[in-house]
Amino acid sequence: MLPADKIFAEIGIQLRERRELISLTVDEVERHTKLRAAFIKALEAGAYDKLPSPVQTRGMLANYAAFLDMDAD
């Protein structure tokens, strides 16, 4: 089993790649999702230490994944 930081990094890569694939900027995602750009960047970088509580982070991750039409699980 992979350590949590490796899993978070992989999720972040998938989010960024999907966002780039559909040609969206971080600012555009921020406008549509109401997630702050700093949090979007932290999610994509797998920098979960720069995000609020685990519950809020899970919600942000689910919202961002759904916005990108990805499986939130």
Side-chain angles (χ1 to χ4, degrees):
M1 191 162 153
L2 288 172
D5 59 336
K6 297 277 190 226
I7 294 169
F8 292 145
E10 181 59 35
I11 291 169
I13 289 167
Q14 290 176 17
L15 291 169
R16 182 180 44 78
E17 287 176 348
R18 175 70 180 161
R19 176 180 57 78
E20 291 172 349
L21 180 73
I22 56 180
S23 301
L24 289 172
T25 66
V26 169
D27 290 338
E28 289 169 326
V29 173
E30 180 181 40
R31 274 199 308 277
H32 291 287
T33 64
K34 307 294 190 239
L35 292 173
R36 292 183 17 212
F39 292 153
I40 295 165
K41 290 176 185 173
L43 287 168
E44 290 185 356
Y48 288 83
D49 57 319
K50 292 186 169 49
L51 293 161
S53 75
V55 170
Q56 289 174 298
T57 298
R58 201 171 305 122
M60 282 187 242
L61 186 57
N63 288 343
Y64 190 21
F67 173 72
L68 295 175
D69 200 25
M70 296 173 72
D71 182 359
D73 291 330

